[in-house]
PDB file of all heavy atoms in Angstrom:
ATOM      1  N   ARG X 110      -8.237  18.178  20.790  1.00 90.00           N
ATOM      2  CA  ARG X 110      -8.278  18.583  19.463  1.00 90.00           C
ATOM      3  C   ARG X 110      -8.287  17.495  18.473  1.00 90.00           C
ATOM      4  O   ARG X 110      -8.040  16.361  18.845  1.00 90.00           O
ATOM      5  CB  ARG X 110      -7.082  19.540  19.159  1.00 90.00           C
ATOM      6  CG  ARG X 110      -7.062  20.838  19.920  1.00 90.00           C
ATOM      7  CD  ARG X 110      -5.836  21.795  19.557  1.00 90.00           C
ATOM      8  NE  ARG X 110      -4.653  21.120  20.159  1.00 90.00           N
ATOM      9  CZ  ARG X 110      -3.410  21.692  19.991  1.00 90.00           C
ATOM     10  NH1 ARG X 110      -3.359  22.855  19.333  1.00 90.00           N
ATOM     11  NH2 ARG X 110      -2.314  21.186  20.401  1.00 90.00           N
ATOM     12  N   VAL X 111      -8.623  17.733  17.198  1.00 92.00           N
ATOM     13  CA  VAL X 111      -8.501  16.758  16.222  1.00 92.00           C
ATOM     14  C   VAL X 111      -7.295  17.048  15.313  1.00 92.00           C
ATOM     15  O   VAL X 111      -6.918  18.214  15.133  1.00 92.00           O
ATOM     16  CB  VAL X 111      -9.772  16.707  15.309  1.00 92.00           C
ATOM     17  CG1 VAL X 111     -10.848  16.003  15.987  1.00 92.00           C
ATOM     18  CG2 VAL X 111     -10.166  18.046  14.778  1.00 92.00           C
ATOM     19  N   TRP X 112      -6.643  15.981  14.900  1.00 88.00           N
ATOM     20  CA  TRP X 112      -5.360  16.052  14.086  1.00 88.00           C
ATOM     21  C   TRP X 112      -5.701  15.564  12.680  1.00 88.00           C
ATOM     22  O   TRP X 112      -6.047  14.443  12.498  1.00 88.00           O
ATOM     23  CB  TRP X 112      -4.337  15.282  14.699  1.00 88.00           C
ATOM     24  CG  TRP X 112      -2.930  15.353  14.078  1.00 88.00           C
ATOM     25  CD1 TRP X 112      -2.371  16.459  13.533  1.00 88.00           C
ATOM     26  CD2 TRP X 112      -1.950  14.289  14.125  1.00 88.00           C
ATOM     27  NE1 TRP X 112      -1.143  16.127  13.069  1.00 88.00           N
ATOM     28  CE2 TRP X 112      -0.879  14.845  13.512  1.00 88.00           C
ATOM     29  CE3 TRP X 112      -1.928  12.960  14.584  1.00 88.00           C
ATOM     30  CZ2 TRP X 112       0.312  14.081  13.245  1.00 88.00           C
ATOM     31  CZ3 TRP X 112      -0.831  12.227  14.414  1.00 88.00           C
ATOM     32  CH2 TRP X 112       0.305  12.852  13.748  1.00 88.00           C
ATOM     33  N   TYR X 113      -5.643  16.437  11.601  1.00 90.00           N
ATOM     34  CA  TYR X 113      -5.907  15.991  10.282  1.00 90.00           C
ATOM     35  C   TYR X 113      -4.809  15.080   9.766  1.00 90.00           C
ATOM     36  O   TYR X 113      -3.618  15.546   9.670  1.00 90.00           O
ATOM     37  CB  TYR X 113      -6.064  17.237   9.355  1.00 90.00           C
ATOM     38  CG  TYR X 113      -7.323  18.025   9.702  1.00 90.00           C
ATOM     39  CD1 TYR X 113      -7.412  18.980  10.710  1.00 90.00           C
ATOM     40  CD2 TYR X 113      -8.471  17.754   8.923  1.00 90.00           C
ATOM     41  CE1 TYR X 113      -8.581  19.641  10.949  1.00 90.00           C
ATOM     42  CE2 TYR X 113      -9.684  18.511   9.187  1.00 90.00           C
ATOM     43  CZ  TYR X 113      -9.670  19.401  10.155  1.00 90.00           C
ATOM     44  OH  TYR X 113     -10.813  20.138  10.385  1.00 90.00           O
ATOM     45  N   VAL X 114      -5.100  13.885   9.415  1.00 88.00           N
ATOM     46  CA  VAL X 114      -4.080  12.977   8.907  1.00 88.00           C
ATOM     47  C   VAL X 114      -4.257  12.613   7.422  1.00 88.00           C
ATOM     48  O   VAL X 114      -3.280  12.032   6.860  1.00 88.00           O
ATOM     49  CB  VAL X 114      -4.131  11.657   9.775  1.00 88.00           C
ATOM     50  CG1 VAL X 114      -3.831  11.903  11.180  1.00 88.00           C
ATOM     51  CG2 VAL X 114      -5.412  10.969   9.634  1.00 88.00           C
ATOM     52  N   ASP X 115      -5.298  13.021   6.820  1.00 90.00           N
ATOM     53  CA  ASP X 115      -5.402  12.801   5.359  1.00 90.00           C
ATOM     54  C   ASP X 115      -6.505  13.687   4.831  1.00 90.00           C
ATOM     55  O   ASP X 115      -7.456  14.132   5.514  1.00 90.00           O
ATOM     56  CB  ASP X 115      -5.724  11.345   5.052  1.00 90.00           C
ATOM     57  CG  ASP X 115      -5.364  10.921   3.559  1.00 90.00           C
ATOM     58  OD1 ASP X 115      -4.705  11.763   2.968  1.00 90.00           O
ATOM     59  OD2 ASP X 115      -5.752   9.772   3.220  1.00 90.00           O
ATOM     60  N   LYS X 116      -6.474  13.878   3.516  1.00 92.00           N
ATOM     61  CA  LYS X 116      -7.505  14.698   2.805  1.00 92.00           C
ATOM     62  C   LYS X 116      -7.390  14.399   1.279  1.00 92.00           C
ATOM     63  O   LYS X 116      -6.414  13.961   0.778  1.00 92.00           O
ATOM     64  CB  LYS X 116      -7.354  16.241   3.016  1.00 92.00           C
ATOM     65  CG  LYS X 116      -6.061  16.780   2.372  1.00 92.00           C
ATOM     66  CD  LYS X 116      -6.065  18.280   2.432  1.00 92.00           C
ATOM     67  CE  LYS X 116      -4.763  18.817   1.646  1.00 92.00           C
ATOM     68  NZ  LYS X 116      -4.860  20.294   1.505  1.00 92.00           N
ATOM     69  N   VAL X 117      -8.544  14.629   0.661  1.00 93.00           N
ATOM     70  CA  VAL X 117      -8.649  14.557  -0.774  1.00 93.00           C
ATOM     71  C   VAL X 117      -9.297  15.821  -1.242  1.00 93.00           C
ATOM     72  O   VAL X 117     -10.398  16.223  -0.803  1.00 93.00           O
ATOM     73  CB  VAL X 117      -9.501  13.317  -1.257  1.00 93.00           C
ATOM     74  CG1 VAL X 117      -9.608  13.276  -2.759  1.00 93.00           C
ATOM     75  CG2 VAL X 117      -8.821  12.015  -0.835  1.00 93.00           C
ATOM     76  N   ASP X 118      -8.676  16.517  -2.070  1.00 92.00           N
ATOM     77  CA  ASP X 118      -9.143  17.876  -2.402  1.00 92.00           C
ATOM     78  C   ASP X 118     -10.221  17.894  -3.475  1.00 92.00           C
ATOM     79  O   ASP X 118     -10.332  16.893  -4.323  1.00 92.00           O
ATOM     80  CB  ASP X 118      -8.013  18.797  -3.005  1.00 92.00           C
ATOM     81  CG  ASP X 118      -7.042  19.194  -1.893  1.00 92.00           C
ATOM     82  OD1 ASP X 118      -7.513  19.536  -0.709  1.00 92.00           O
ATOM     83  OD2 ASP X 118      -5.857  19.344  -2.178  1.00 92.00           O
ATOM     84  N   SER X 119     -11.050  18.838  -3.379  1.00 91.00           N
ATOM     85  CA  SER X 119     -12.088  19.074  -4.476  1.00 91.00           C
ATOM     86  C   SER X 119     -11.307  19.599  -5.659  1.00 91.00           C
ATOM     87  O   SER X 119     -10.309  20.293  -5.516  1.00 91.00           O
ATOM     88  CB  SER X 119     -13.084  20.111  -3.930  1.00 91.00           C
ATOM     89  OG  SER X 119     -13.905  20.561  -5.008  1.00 91.00           O
ATOM     90  N   THR X 120     -11.918  19.347  -6.846  1.00 88.00           N
ATOM     91  CA  THR X 120     -11.294  19.945  -8.033  1.00 88.00           C
ATOM     92  C   THR X 120     -11.922  21.281  -8.380  1.00 88.00           C
ATOM     93  O   THR X 120     -11.523  21.903  -9.439  1.00 88.00           O
ATOM     94  CB  THR X 120     -11.573  18.883  -9.220  1.00 88.00           C
ATOM     95  OG1 THR X 120     -13.007  18.732  -9.403  1.00 88.00           O
ATOM     96  CG2 THR X 120     -10.880  17.651  -9.060  1.00 88.00           C
ATOM     97  N   LEU X 121     -12.887  21.695  -7.602  1.00 88.00           N
ATOM     98  CA  LEU X 121     -13.518  22.996  -7.889  1.00 88.00           C
ATOM     99  C   LEU X 121     -12.613  24.094  -7.465  1.00 88.00           C
ATOM    100  O   LEU X 121     -11.826  24.020  -6.486  1.00 88.00           O
ATOM    101  CB  LEU X 121     -14.900  23.066  -7.157  1.00 88.00           C
ATOM    102  CG  LEU X 121     -15.879  22.079  -7.613  1.00 88.00           C
ATOM    103  CD1 LEU X 121     -17.106  22.060  -6.665  1.00 88.00           C
ATOM    104  CD2 LEU X 121     -16.243  22.264  -9.030  1.00 88.00           C
ATOM    105  N   PRO X 122     -12.697  25.337  -8.050  1.00 85.00           N
ATOM    106  CA  PRO X 122     -11.788  26.425  -7.730  1.00 85.00           C
ATOM    107  C   PRO X 122     -12.009  26.945  -6.312  1.00 85.00           C
ATOM    108  O   PRO X 122     -11.059  27.364  -5.632  1.00 85.00           O
ATOM    109  CB  PRO X 122     -12.130  27.480  -8.784  1.00 85.00           C
ATOM    110  CG  PRO X 122     -13.452  27.111  -9.255  1.00 85.00           C
ATOM    111  CD  PRO X 122     -13.450  25.655  -9.281  1.00 85.00           C
ATOM    112  N   LEU X 123     -13.284  26.921  -5.844  1.00 84.00           N
ATOM    113  CA  LEU X 123     -13.617  27.361  -4.494  1.00 84.00           C
ATOM    114  C   LEU X 123     -13.728  26.113  -3.606  1.00 84.00           C
ATOM    115  O   LEU X 123     -14.681  25.335  -3.830  1.00 84.00           O
ATOM    116  CB  LEU X 123     -14.875  28.204  -4.465  1.00 84.00           C
ATOM    117  CG  LEU X 123     -15.372  28.704  -3.085  1.00 84.00           C
ATOM    118  CD1 LEU X 123     -14.329  29.656  -2.600  1.00 84.00           C
ATOM    119  CD2 LEU X 123     -16.717  29.399  -3.268  1.00 84.00           C
ATOM    120  N   LYS X 124     -12.771  25.912  -2.712  1.00 80.00           N
ATOM    121  CA  LYS X 124     -12.812  24.745  -1.835  1.00 80.00           C
ATOM    122  C   LYS X 124     -12.266  24.986  -0.502  1.00 80.00           C
ATOM    123  O   LYS X 124     -11.768  26.074  -0.229  1.00 80.00           O
ATOM    124  CB  LYS X 124     -12.040  23.666  -2.556  1.00 80.00           C
ATOM    125  CG  LYS X 124     -10.554  23.988  -2.865  1.00 80.00           C
ATOM    126  CD  LYS X 124      -9.980  22.914  -3.698  1.00 80.00           C
ATOM    127  CE  LYS X 124      -8.520  23.324  -4.076  1.00 80.00           C
ATOM    128  NZ  LYS X 124      -7.775  22.341  -4.994  1.00 80.00           N
TER     129      LYS X 124
END
Side-chain angles (χ1 to χ4, degrees):
R110 293 181 290 181
V111 287
W112 185 33
Y113 289 84
V114 296
D115 200 8
K116 69 170 181 172
V117 176
D118 286 326
S119 167
T120 58
L121 299 173
L123 180 60
K124 57 189 176 183

